[in-house]
C-alpha cells in the first residue's frame, strides 16, 4: 500500500495530490457523521450546494436502484442462456447465484469505503487513497476505457436490434451511427438526476423485453428440454462462458459516481440490495427458461434464436435500455474527467461557457470513440472482453478486498484490526485473489479465443455493412 494513504482524521482531496487536509466530520474510527455526509462535509465531492445553479446531490436511493438496474441488467443478460448451454444448467445457475451474492458483498464494502471517504468520486480517487498517484491514474484510465468500450458494446447491441427490426434494409454502420447519435443526446445532461426518467424507461424496457422473449420461447419452442446438467469443455470455452455472468454484474465501477450524487449516501446499500435481487432473479429465470425451450443450439444474444416475430418484438422493447445504458456509460467516463478538471471551481455548479463547452466536448469524444471502436475495429468484441478482464474483475470484485484491508488497518489498529476479524480477513483476501483469478483467466481465455478466431478467418472487416 502507498505511503500516500488515508489516515484517520484526515481526507485526501483531489486537488491536494496526496496532501493531508483536516477532516472534522470523522469519529475515532474513521466513520463520517451521517448528518454531514451528503450535507457538505469538508471532504465531500460537491460540498454544500446551497445557492448553486447546478445541484448534483439530488438522487434518492430508489432512483439510484433504477439507474443501477438500467446500467447492469442490459445486453449482458442476453448471453447468459448460451453460457448455460456451454457449461450445463447446474454449474451455470450456481455461478450466477454465487456471483450475485458475491457482488452484493463487494457492493457493501465499496459503499462503506465511500462513507468513510466522502471525497472519493470515482475509482481513480479510491486508487489515490490505496495506492497513491500511480494508482489514481491507472484506475481512472481503466474506468474511462471500460466505460467507453461498454458504450461501444451497447451501440453494437442497438445496431443489431435495428438490423433485426428492419430486416437489414440499411448498412449496419448506418444503424450504428443512428444509435450512437441517440446515445450521445441522452448522455448530455450534467447530472444523473436528469437521466432519472430515461433510466426508469430503460430499466422497465429490458425487463419487459426479457419477459416477452420468454413468452416467445414458450409459444414457439425449438428443442424443448434439450438441456444438459453439466457439460465437459476445454478451459478457454468454459471460462469465457463462466465470465459472461461475471461481467453481467460489472457495474461497480459506477457506484462511487452514483453515490456522490445521492441526497443520503448512507442509503446506498438499499439500492444495491434492490439491484442484486432484481438482477440475480432475472438472470436465473431468463437463462434457465430460455435454455429449456430453445435447447443447446441457443444463440448469443438469445433473442436471435426466437421466431422472427418475437425476435423483433423483444429487440424493439430492449432498444430503450441499450441506448440509455450506453448513455450512462459515456456519462460516467465524461463525468470522471470533468470532475477531475473542475473540482472545487465555479464550473462544476454554474452555467459557465467553459464548463458547458468542456462537458460537451467530453461527451462527444466519449461517444465518438465508442462508435469508431465498435464499428472500425474487427476485434472490438474481444477488446471488450480484455478490458472487462483487466478492469471490471477488479472494480466489481478484487478491489473490495483491498478497500476493506486498507480501512481496517488504518481505522482499527493496524494488523491487530485484521487479526481480530479472522473471518472477514479470510473473505477479503479471497476477494482479492478472486479478482486476480478472474483477471488472469479472463485475459488468457479471451486472447486464446481471439487467436482462434483470427486463424479461422472469423473476424469481420472494419466498417462492414
Amino acid at each position: 500500500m502507498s505511503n500516500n494513504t488515508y489516515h484517520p482524521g484526515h481526507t485526501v482531496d483531489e486537488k491536494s495530490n496526496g496532501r493531508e487536509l483536516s477532516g472534522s466530520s470523522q469519529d475515532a474510527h474513521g466513520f463520517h457523521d451521517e448528518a454531514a455526509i451528503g450535507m457538505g462535509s469538508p471532504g465531500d465531492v460537491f460540498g454544500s450546494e446551497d445557492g448553486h445553479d447546478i445541484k448534483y446531490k439530488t438522487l434518492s436511493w430508489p432512483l439510484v436502484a433504477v439507474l443501477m438496474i438500467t446500467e447492469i441488467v442490459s445486453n449482458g443478460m442476453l448471453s447468459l442462456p448460451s453460457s448455460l448451454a456451454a457449461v450445463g444448467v447446474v454449474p451455470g445457475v450456481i455461478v450466477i447465484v454465487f456471483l450475485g451474492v458475491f457482488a452484493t458483498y463487494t457492493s457493501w464494502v465499496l459503499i462503506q469505503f465511500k462513507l468513510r471517504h466522502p471525497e472519493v468520486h470515482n475509482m481513480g480517487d479510491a486508487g489515490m487513497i490505496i495506492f497513491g498517484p500511480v494508482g489514481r491514474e491507472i484506475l481512472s484510465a481503466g474506468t474511462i476505457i471500460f466505460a467507453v468500450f461498454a458504450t461501444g458494446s451497447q451501440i453494437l447491441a442497438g445496431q443489431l436490434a435495428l438490423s433485426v427490426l428492419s430486416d437489414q434494409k440499411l448498412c449496419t454502420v448506418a444503424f450504428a451511427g443512428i444509435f450512437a447519435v441517440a446515445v450521445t443526446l441522452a448522455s448530455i445532461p450534467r447530472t444523473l438526476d436528469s437521466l432519472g426518467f430515461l433510466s426508469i424507461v430503460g430499466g422497465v424496457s429490458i425487463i419487459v423485453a426479457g419477459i416477452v422473449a420468454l413468452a416467445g420461447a414458450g409459444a414457439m419452442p425449438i428443442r424443448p428440454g434439450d438441456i444438459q446438467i453439466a457439460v465437459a469443455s476445454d478451459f478457454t470455452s468454459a471460462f469465457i462462458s463462466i465470465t459472461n455472468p461475471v461481467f453481467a454484474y460489472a457495474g461497480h465501477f459506477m457506484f462511487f459516481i452514483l453515490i456522490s450524487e445521492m441526497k443520503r449516501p448512507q442509503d446506498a446499500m438499499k439500492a444495491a440490495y434492490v439491484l442484486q435481487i432484481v438482477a440475480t432473479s432475472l438472470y436465473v429465470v431468463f437463462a434457465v427458461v430460455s435454455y429449456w425451450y430453445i435447447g443447446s443450439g441457443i444463440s448469443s444474444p438469445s433473442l436471435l434464436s426466437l421466431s422472427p416475430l418475437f425476435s423483433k418484438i423483444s429487440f424493439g422493447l430492449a432498444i430503450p435500455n441499450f441506448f440509455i445504458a450506453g448513455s450512462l456509460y459515456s456519462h460516467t467516463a465524461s463525468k470522471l474527467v470533468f470532475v477531475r478538471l473542475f473540482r472545487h471551481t465555479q464550473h462544476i455548479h454554474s452555467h459557465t461557457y467553459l464548463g458547458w463547452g468542456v462537458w460537451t466536448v467530453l461527451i462527444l469524444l466519449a461517444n465518438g470513440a465508442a462508435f469508431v471502436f465498435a464499428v472500425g475495429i474487427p476485434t472490438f468484441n474481444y477488446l471488450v472482453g480484455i478490458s472487462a478482464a483487466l478492469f471490471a474483475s477488479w472494480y466489481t470484485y478484487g478491489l473490495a478486498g483491498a478497500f476493506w484491508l486498507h480501512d481496517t488497518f488504518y481505522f482499527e489498529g493496524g494488523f491487530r484490526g485484521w487479526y481480530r476479524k479472522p473471518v472477514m480477513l479470510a473473505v477479503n483476501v479471497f476477494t482479492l485473489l478472486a479478482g486476480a483469478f478472474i483477471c488472469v483467466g479472463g485475459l488468457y481465455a479471451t486472447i486464446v479465443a481471439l487467436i482462434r478466431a483470427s486463424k479461422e478467418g472469423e473476424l469481420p472487416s472494419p466498417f462492414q455493412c
Side-chain angles (χ1 to χ4, degrees):
M1 294 183 182
S2 166
N3 291 329
N4 293 319
T5 48
Y6 180 97
H7 297 279
H10 298 81
T11 60
V12 178
D13 186 83
E14 178 80 9
K15 290 291 186 181
S16 70
N17 291 321
R19 293 192 299 272
E20 295 176 350
L21 305 176
S22 62
S24 59
S25 63
Q26 290 178 302
D27 64 19
H29 298 290
F31 286 97
H32 289 265
D33 178 75
E34 287 195 351
I37 297 170
M39 297 296 290
S41 58
D44 188 14
V45 177
F46 297 112
S48 175
E49 296 189 314
D50 294 340
H52 286 302
D53 297 329
I54 302 174
K55 294 180 173 63
Y56 294 88
K57 295 183 291 186
T58 56
L59 294 175
S60 63
W61 75 260
L63 188 53
V64 171
V66 172
L67 286 162
M68 289 176 172
I69 290 169
T70 301
E71 170 228 348
I72 292 177
V73 183
S74 188
N75 64 337
M77 177 185 75
L78 306 181
S79 67
L80 296 181
S82 64
S83 293
L84 263 60
V87 300
V89 67
V90 171
V93 169
I94 290 173
V95 168
I96 292 171
V97 173
F98 170 76
L99 290 174
V101 174
F102 196 12
T104 304
Y105 170 72
T106 57
S107 298
W108 177 79
V109 176
L110 265 64
I111 289 167
Q112 293 303 309
F113 186 84
K114 168 63 178 176
L115 295 180
R116 288 181 174 181
H117 307 270
E119 74 276 18
V120 168
H121 175 256
N122 53 67
M123 283 292 178
D125 291 346
M128 180 69 187
I129 292 173
I130 305 295
F131 306 113
V134 174
R136 170 197 277 176
E137 303 308 330
I138 291 174
L139 295 186
S140 294
T143 300
I144 294 168
I145 292 168
F146 183 68
V148 169
F149 280 13
T151 304
S153 182
Q154 296 293 349
I155 289 173
L156 288 183
Q159 174 197 68
L160 178 60
L162 293 176
S163 296
V164 170
L165 286 170
S166 68
D167 294 321
Q168 300 181 336
K169 290 182 179 177
L170 278 180
C171 174
T172 54
V173 175
F175 283 132
I178 293 169
F179 208 80
V181 170
V183 172
T184 302
L185 293 175
S187 57
I188 284 177
R190 285 262 289 271
T191 64
L192 287 166
D193 180 63
S194 301
L195 296 174
F197 174 75
L198 287 178
S199 69
I200 294 173
V201 174
V204 170
S205 75
I206 192 64
I207 293 173
V208 173
I211 293 171
V212 170
L214 295 183
M220 302 184 69
I222 298 176
R223 298 178 66 181
D226 177 28
I227 65 172
Q228 290 185 281
I229 300 300
V231 178
S233 180
D234 64 275
F235 175 82
T236 299
S237 300
F239 201 92
I240 288 178
S241 298
I242 290 173
T243 54
N244 281 335
V246 169
F247 301 132
Y249 290 103
H252 289 48
F253 76 105
M254 283 184 61
F255 279 14
F256 291 146
I257 290 176
L258 285 166
I259 298 168
S260 295
E261 298 193 27
M262 289 185 69
K263 298 174 188 175
R264 286 175 48 85
Q266 59 268 36
D267 289 338
M269 199 59 212
K270 297 176 184 177
Y273 282 134
V274 172
L275 163 67
Q276 300 303 346
I277 291 171
V278 171
T280 303
S281 302
L282 189 59
Y283 288 170
V284 170
V285 171
F286 183 81
V288 171
V289 175
S290 297
Y291 180 34
W292 173 268
Y293 281 114
I294 296 174
S296 58
I298 192 167
S299 301
S300 179
S302 60
L303 302 188
L304 293 175
S305 294
L306 301 175
S307 68
L309 175 61
F310 276 102
S311 180
K312 288 181 179 181
I313 294 173
S314 300
F315 269 121
L317 290 169
I319 281 177
N321 174 269
F322 295 159
F323 86 80
I324 295 167
S327 72
L328 288 172
Y329 291 134
S330 60
H331 182 102
T332 296
S334 303
K335 182 68 71 65
L336 185 154
V337 177
F338 187 78
V339 171
R340 177 77 178 268
L341 290 173
F342 294 125
R343 188 184 296 219
H344 304 317
T345 71
Q346 63 173 332
H347 305 295
I348 288 284
H349 289 103
S350 300
H351 295 292
T352 64
Y353 288 114
L354 179 60
W356 273 108
V358 170
W359 176 254
T360 303
V361 169
L362 290 172
I363 290 293
L364 292 174
L365 285 175
N367 287 288
F371 168 74
V372 172
F373 292 159
V375 301
I377 301 178
T379 59
F380 178 73
N381 284 328
Y382 296 95
L383 293 180
V384 172
I386 290 171
S387 71
L390 277 174
F391 303 116
S393 59
W394 292 106
Y395 297 151
T396 305
Y397 300 106
L399 281 176
F403 294 157
W404 186 90
L405 291 169
H406 174 274
D407 277 8
T408 301
F409 184 89
Y410 281 104
F411 295 140
E412 300 185 26
F415 293 112
R416 287 177 298 174
W418 290 356
Y419 299 148
R420 282 196 297 266
K421 299 180 177 180
V423 174
M424 289 296 291
L425 177 62
V427 168
N428 285 283
V429 170
F430 168 79
T431 301
L432 266 175
L433 295 176
F437 175 73
I438 295 169
C439 176
V440 174
L443 277 175
Y444 174 81
T446 305
I447 291 171
V448 169
L450 172 59
I451 293 172
R452 287 179 182 173
S454 179
K455 288 180 178 179
E456 295 172 7
E458 295 177 353
L459 298 179
S461 302
F463 300 101
Q464 180 182 6
C465 281

